[in-house]
């Protein structure tokens, strides 16, 4: 019996209502049978899909289709001309990451559509149905009546079956991805970047996002009416938001569906919907920590530009190298080391030269000094948004980096949204969006150019993460959210920020958050809204294979007992478990270091004091461990000087024990579980 005849047999019981006169819908379910997708047509031949889980509707019939700038839309008068299903179950290895092995287990349903009138265009919608959600995308073959597609808008809808609470940030505003999350009713979403995370009225959690954003513009969503969201593609520099030639596909539109917040994070759907590694060997890339000539610039004490307060001087960089070498930190970031920062570089990167150090940064001497001390520098390429200017320097820039022993380059695109400078070969200038089609391709060109020199990329002001690190595994991290730097400035990240982003931004993949400011002070001595223990917890809670210890060596010297956790914590993992959490309130994550026996745990809360309790059953049964605990002091509080109050203590534990940790207001806790030999 085919999958389709099997599902046809149970179809009547679970039918999701489609408008009268609809074609009998096509149906398929996840491997465990609990997630069901149905696709059908209404009386006007408009296509819709619906998703249910455990017999309850999640997405009610939602439209599919496209608007074009030059030809009729794809919407009405469609017929289903074919369908296929296939099962897939494979486990693959991540070169680095939060899990070493990932199981990719889904049932695929492909449905062929054809217009019965007009242009007679054909396309396929492919659904991959997982136990923890659904991804679907459109595939268009090259065809006579659509050799070029000028896409004005994608008409994909997401009509949620219930209202709920949504965590979302606004799309298309000047500050790109760097907004705090709103918490509103689902029915009160405006225009939102994805991921949007939703707790439906019945408690089911759903994260709406996209996977494999390649040669297409990023999808935001806007509420249309009721609980319905619709795709809103990022603009391009021209009329169409996306331009395609020949055969083309969209990214996967993804819905992770889980019983609770932890389930959203534990899903591998995003990575699984991307293509395997197409670059090859990644053994040269070693996940690891870095310090850097950075926080003093973010605090306004040093400058990127040349002058009396220049940060990346020989003397400063040597001091950071010495500190890194002494503390076993493998890398040192240098920013403001190159020509181009003098004057107004914001949105203005035409002077940036990534092979030309300034006078007081002796690149050859510092490379030799670092090498002697067993440390590598991380180069910084701040484009100021002049992305074409950057492409013109790819070879010189990455050769310079490789010649000086760098393994990682941090890039930046500091300019307002819609202000990326693109200049085509013929000299024509355009303004592009960070999340647009052209940038989706530019950032992949960066990864590919860097890979030739065995350089990994950490992009700031990037396009959103969509799991492309599976395909381009040297694109190891990105920013794409308000990170630590906001804690220097006025309008600091609130205590709930990290508990928000774990279940939203972090679903995109690694974030270069730059934790670890143990001095808890930003510009002008202003207080960061965190306890000291929480800064340590972030090393476990916020994942990136390149992790900064963002404070200065001088400040760390004042906090050496706490700094020990930063020194000890791993940056590459065999396993990750979210032990508990509620979006925006708290989360506890345990991770096992790759290739080792040590577990690390981080818990962060929000502005309220709370207690988290969890079983230690992730530890290997029958083994004895010492838990090295870094927790908030009993009187710790992010609102007072007591934010530094921390208790460091040790306790013998086994897998049979459980642990209770009290999180102070704005607090957190970090634990290292060391195996007793
Ligand atoms: C913003 C980045 O997030 C930050 O890390 C960097 O130092 C500045 N831009 C300058 O490039
Ligand atoms: Ca909260």
């Amino acid at each position: 019996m085919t999958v389709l005849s099997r599902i046809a047999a149970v179809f009547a019981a679970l039918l999701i209502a489609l408008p009268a006169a609809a074609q009998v819908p096509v149906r398929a379910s996840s491997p465990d049978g609990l997630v069901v997708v149905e696709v059908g047509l209404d009386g006007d031949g408009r296509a819709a899909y619906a998703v249910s889980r455990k017999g309850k509707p999640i997405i009610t019939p939602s439209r599919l289709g496209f608007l074009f700038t030059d030809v009729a839309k794809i919407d009405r008068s469609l017929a289903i001309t074919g369908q296929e299903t296939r099962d897939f179950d494979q486990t693959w290895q991540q070169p680095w990451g939060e899990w070493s092995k990932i199981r990719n287990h889904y049932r695929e349903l492909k449905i062929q559509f054809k217009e019965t009138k007009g242009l007679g265009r054909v396309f396929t919608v492919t659904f991959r149905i997982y136990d923890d959600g659904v991804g679907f995308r459109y595939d268009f073959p090259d065809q006579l009546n659509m050799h070029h597609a000028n896409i004005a808008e994608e008409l994909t809808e997401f009509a949620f079956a219930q209202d709920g609470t949504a965590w979302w940030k606004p799309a298309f505003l000047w500050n790109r991805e760097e907004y705090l999350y709103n918490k509103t009713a689902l029915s009160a979403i405006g225009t939102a970047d994805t991921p949007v995370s939703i707790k439906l009225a019945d408690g089911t959690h759903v994260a709406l996002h996209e996977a494999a954003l390649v040669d297409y513009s990023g999808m935001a969503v806007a509420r249309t009416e009721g609980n319905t969201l619709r795709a809103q593609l990022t603009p391009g520099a021209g009329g169409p938001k996306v331009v395609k030639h020949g055969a083309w596909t969209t990214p996967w539109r993804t819905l992770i569906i889980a019983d609770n917040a932890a389930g959203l994070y534990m899903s591998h759907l995003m990575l699984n919907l991307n293509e395997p590694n197409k670059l090859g060997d990644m053994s040269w890339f070693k996940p690891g920590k870095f310090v850097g000539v950075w926080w003093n610039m973010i605090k306004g004490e040093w400058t990127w530009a040349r002058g009396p307060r220049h940060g990346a001087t020989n003397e400063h960089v040597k001091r950071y190298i010495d500190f890194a070498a002494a503390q076993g930190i493998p890398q040192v970031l240098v920013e403001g080391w190159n020509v181009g920062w003098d004057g107004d570089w914001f949105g203005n990167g035409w002077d940036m030269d990534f092979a030309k150090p300034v006078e007081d940064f002796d690149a050859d001497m510092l490379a030799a000094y670092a090498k002697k001390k067993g440390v590598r520098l991380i180069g910084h390429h701040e484009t100021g948004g002049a992305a074409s200017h950057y492409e013109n320097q790819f070879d010189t820039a990455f050769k310079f980096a490789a010649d000086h022993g760098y393994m990682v380059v941090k890039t930046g695109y500091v300019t307002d949204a819609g202000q990326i400078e693109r200049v085509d070969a013929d000299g024509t200038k355009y303004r592009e969006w960070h999340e647009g089609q052209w940038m989706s391709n530019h950032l992949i060109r960066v990864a590919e150019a860097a890979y030739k020199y065995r350089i990994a990329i950490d992009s700031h002001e990037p396009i959103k993460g969509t799991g492309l690190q599976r395909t381009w595994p040297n694109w190891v991290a990105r920013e794409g959210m308000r990170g630590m730097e906001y804690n220097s400035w006025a309008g600091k990240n609130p205590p709930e920020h990290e508990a928000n982003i774990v279940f939203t931004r972090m679903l995109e993949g690694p974030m270069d958050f730059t934790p670890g400011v143990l001095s808890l002070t930003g510009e002008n001595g202003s207080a960061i809204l965190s306890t000291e223990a929480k800064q340590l917890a972030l090393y476990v809670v916020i994942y990136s294979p390149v992790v900064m210890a963002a404070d200065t060596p001088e400040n760390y010297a004042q906090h050496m007992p706490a700094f020990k956790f930063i020194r000890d914590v791993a940056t590459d993992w065999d396993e990750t478990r979210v032990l508990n959490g509620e979006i925006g309130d708290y989360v506890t994550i345990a991770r096992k270091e790759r290739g080792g026996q040590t577990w690390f745990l981080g818990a962060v809360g929000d502005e309220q004091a709370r207690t988290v309790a969890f079983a230690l059953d992730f530890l290997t049964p029958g083994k004895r461990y010492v838990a090295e605990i870094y927790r908030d002091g009993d009187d710790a509080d992010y609102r007072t000087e007591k934010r530094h109050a921390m208790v460091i203590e040790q306790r013998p534990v086994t897998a049979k024990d459980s642990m209770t940790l009290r999180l102070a207001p704005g607090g957190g806790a970090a634990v290292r579980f060391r195996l007793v030999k």
Side-chain angles (χ1 to χ4, degrees):
M1 188 152 84
T2 66
V3 171
L4 276 168
S5 55
R6 229 186 304 144
I7 51 185
V10 287
F11 160 69
L14 280 164
L15 173 64
I16 293 169
L18 282 165
Q23 257 188 19
V24 169
V26 178
R27 243 174 134 261
S29 61
S30 55
D32 69 1
L34 298 181
V35 179
V36 174
V37 169
E38 290 182 279
V39 183
L41 299 168
D42 72 5
D44 287 335
R46 288 183 291 205
Y49 75 98
V51 180
S52 64
R53 179 170 176 266
K54 298 184 182 173
K56 286 200 283 185
I58 302 288
I59 300 287
T60 58
S62 298
R63 291 268 170 75
L64 300 166
F66 290 89
L67 291 178
F68 300 95
T69 57
D70 50 353
V71 291
K73 64 178 178 174
I74 290 182
D75 179 29
R76 287 189 178 77
S77 308
L78 294 170
I80 293 178
T81 57
Q83 50 192 274
E84 282 163 45
T85 56
R86 128 186 121 101
D87 290 327
F88 187 90
D89 189 3
Q90 250 176 32
T91 296
W92 57 281
Q93 182 89 26
Q94 292 208 91
W96 48 267
E98 296 175 85
W99 295 269
S100 50
K101 289 202 173 70
I102 303 261
R103 184 177 180 194
N104 189 7
H105 188 199
Y106 60 83
R107 178 161 299 150
E108 185 176 86
L109 169 65
K110 276 183 188 286
I111 304 172
Q112 279 97 41
F113 292 93
K114 182 173 171 55
E115 288 178 309
T116 56
K117 291 188 187 156
L119 295 172
R121 291 164 291 191
V122 297
F123 62 98
T124 300
V125 181
T126 303
F127 288 85
R128 288 194 181 159
I129 313 168
Y130 290 84
D131 294 348
D132 57 5
V134 175
F136 64 95
R137 74 172 190 207
Y138 302 84
D139 294 278
F140 282 81
D142 193 9
Q143 50 198 298
L144 208 55
N145 280 338
M146 203 175 53
H147 185 56
H148 299 283
N150 294 314
I151 301 171
E153 195 55 277
E154 188 179 309
L155 300 178
T156 309
E157 283 180 352
F158 307 90
F160 286 88
Q162 310 163 37
D163 204 346
T165 306
W167 287 263
W168 60 280
K169 59 185 164 82
F172 308 138
L173 302 186
W174 69 270
N175 206 15
R176 311 165 309 264
E177 308 92 342
E178 297 174 17
Y179 289 89
L180 293 173
Y181 279 90
N182 294 311
K183 178 185 179 184
T184 70
L186 164 58
S187 56
I189 289 181
T191 301
D193 265 344
T194 71
V196 175
S197 293
I198 301 159
K199 182 177 182 179
L200 293 173
D202 72 358
T204 307
H205 283 63
V206 182
L208 169 59
H209 189 45
E210 59 183 314
L213 171 49
V214 177
D215 193 22
Y216 204 83
S217 75
M219 179 186 74
V221 288
R223 199 182 69 91
T224 56
E225 51 187 348
N227 304 325
T228 299
L229 308 177
R230 205 202 68 192
Q232 272 233 286
L233 298 179
T234 304
K241 291 179 168 178
V242 176
V243 176
K244 290 287 190 177
H245 306 286
W248 56 279
T249 69
T250 64
W252 296 93
R253 279 64 189 91
T254 60
L255 294 153
I256 300 173
I257 312 173
D259 287 331
N260 49 38
L264 296 182
Y265 195 92
M266 291 301 288
S267 171
H268 299 149
L269 187 138
M270 177 72 39
L271 284 165
N272 278 331
L273 287 171
N274 276 273
E275 299 298 319
N277 177 354
K278 65 180 254 182
L279 293 179
D281 175 46
M282 278 300 296
S283 59
W284 53 271
F285 172 69
K286 311 285 178 217
K289 283 158 256 178
F290 62 102
V291 290
V293 175
W294 186 71
W295 189 241
N296 278 340
M297 271 104 78
I298 295 294
K299 285 199 295 181
E301 292 169 18
W302 289 355
T303 60
W304 284 274
R306 287 177 272 211
R309 292 187 294 122
H310 182 217
T313 64
N314 293 331
E315 185 206 328
H316 291 157
V317 176
K318 278 168 94 174
R319 197 170 350 123
Y320 278 67
I321 292 172
D322 291 345
F323 177 78
Q327 300 302 328
I329 305 276
Q331 298 176 93
V332 174
L333 168 70
V334 284
E335 295 199 8
W337 62 272
N338 63 300
V339 166
W341 290 90
D342 305 340
D344 184 14
W345 58 271
F346 183 108
N348 203 355
W350 284 92
D351 294 332
M352 292 291 183
D353 187 328
F354 305 121
K356 221 182 243 163
V358 289
E359 304 73 24
D360 50 359
F361 181 92
D362 183 340
D364 296 341
M365 181 276 288
L366 290 168
Y369 188 79
K371 190 169 182 199
K372 195 178 75 195
K373 299 237 164 182
V375 171
R376 291 168 182 277
L377 297 185
I378 295 181
H380 183 223
H381 295 170
E382 174 54 66
T383 68
S388 291
H389 177 60
Y390 186 30
E391 294 200 20
N392 295 337
Q393 316 180 43
F394 275 169
D395 277 310
T396 50
F398 291 120
K399 182 171 189 310
F400 181 95
D403 287 348
H404 290 84
Y406 307 174
M407 181 181 70
V408 177
V409 161
K410 168 179 170 180
T411 63
Y413 296 87
V414 174
T415 189
D416 288 349
Q419 295 303 304
I420 292 283
E421 290 181 280
R422 160 188 164 199
V423 184
D424 282 358
D426 65 0
T428 318
K429 292 188 176 170
Y430 300 92
R431 290 285 174 160
E432 295 283 357
W433 289 71
H434 289 74
E435 306 272 344
Q437 181 183 14
W438 190 81
M439 278 304 271
S440 80
N441 292 322
H442 166 80
L443 288 158
I444 290 169
R445 288 194 289 270
V446 172
E448 292 186 342
Y451 184 80
K452 287 189 208 149
Y453 295 91
R454 299 297 180 263
I455 300 279
I457 296 293
D458 166 13
S459 13
H460 280 231
E461 300 78 46
I463 200 166
K464 65 176 142 181
T466 58
L468 295 181
Q469 69 270 27
R470 180 175 179 195
T471 314
W472 289 276
N474 71 324
W475 189 358
V476 294
R478 73 186 76 204
E479 188 187 39
M481 198 346 109
R482 292 166 56 116
M484 181 61 75
E485 61 191 9
Y486 282 82
N487 289 336
S488 176
W489 309 325
K492 298 187 181 345
N493 294 329
E496 67 169 13
H497 187 56
E498 295 85 355
N500 268 329
I501 69 174
V502 164
F503 298 113
T504 49
R505 161 65 186 82
M506 297 315 296
L507 304 179
E508 296 176 24
M511 176 175 177
D512 186 20
F513 186 85
T514 72
V517 176
L518 300 185
S519 58
L520 301 177
T521 38
E523 64 180 10
N524 305 317
S526 56
I528 293 179
L529 312 181
S530 162
T531 66
E532 196 169 326
K534 182 180 182 181
Q535 291 297 307
L536 302 181
L538 296 178
Y539 285 86
V540 184
V541 167
I542 307 255
Y543 171 66
S544 174
V546 287
V547 192
M548 190 169 201
D551 216 333
T552 64
E554 300 73 41
N555 287 342
Y556 282 133
Q558 308 297 313
H559 299 273
M560 282 327 260
F563 187 77
K564 180 169 186 305
F565 183 83
I566 299 179
R567 238 174 37 203
D568 290 342
V569 69
T571 53
D572 197 20
W573 312 99
D574 272 332
E575 219 184 301
T576 290
R577 293 200 204 164
V578 179
L579 304 184
N580 54 44
E582 288 287 346
I583 307 175
D585 293 342
Y586 67 95
V587 59
T588 306
I589 299 183
R591 303 185 194 263
K592 182 170 179 252
E593 71 173 330
R594 192 166 290 204
Q597 291 300 322
T598 309
W599 283 80
F600 293 86
L601 178 142
V604 296
D606 60 3
E607 68 289 344
Q608 289 172 31
R610 70 181 78 234
T611 298
V612 289
F614 43 87
L616 301 184
D617 53 5
F618 50 86
L619 299 173
T620 307
K623 302 274 187 200
R624 290 183 302 126
Y625 295 80
V626 172
E628 301 171 359
I629 303 167
Y630 300 72
R631 63 173 175 86
D632 290 325
D634 293 340
D635 53 353
D637 189 321
Y638 79 97
R639 290 163 296 196
T640 71
E641 267 312 305
K642 290 290 180 188
R643 59 190 187 279
H644 285 287
M646 182 166 56
V647 174
I648 304 176
E649 60 192 4
Q650 301 204 347
R651 195 187 304 166
V653 294
T654 71
K656 287 194 186 134
D657 294 323
S658 55
M659 188 173 270
T660 303
L661 293 168
R662 185 186 162 277
L663 310 180
V671 186
R672 176 191 191 210
F673 295 94
R674 179 165 49 80
L675 192 70
V676 179
K677 298 258 159 66

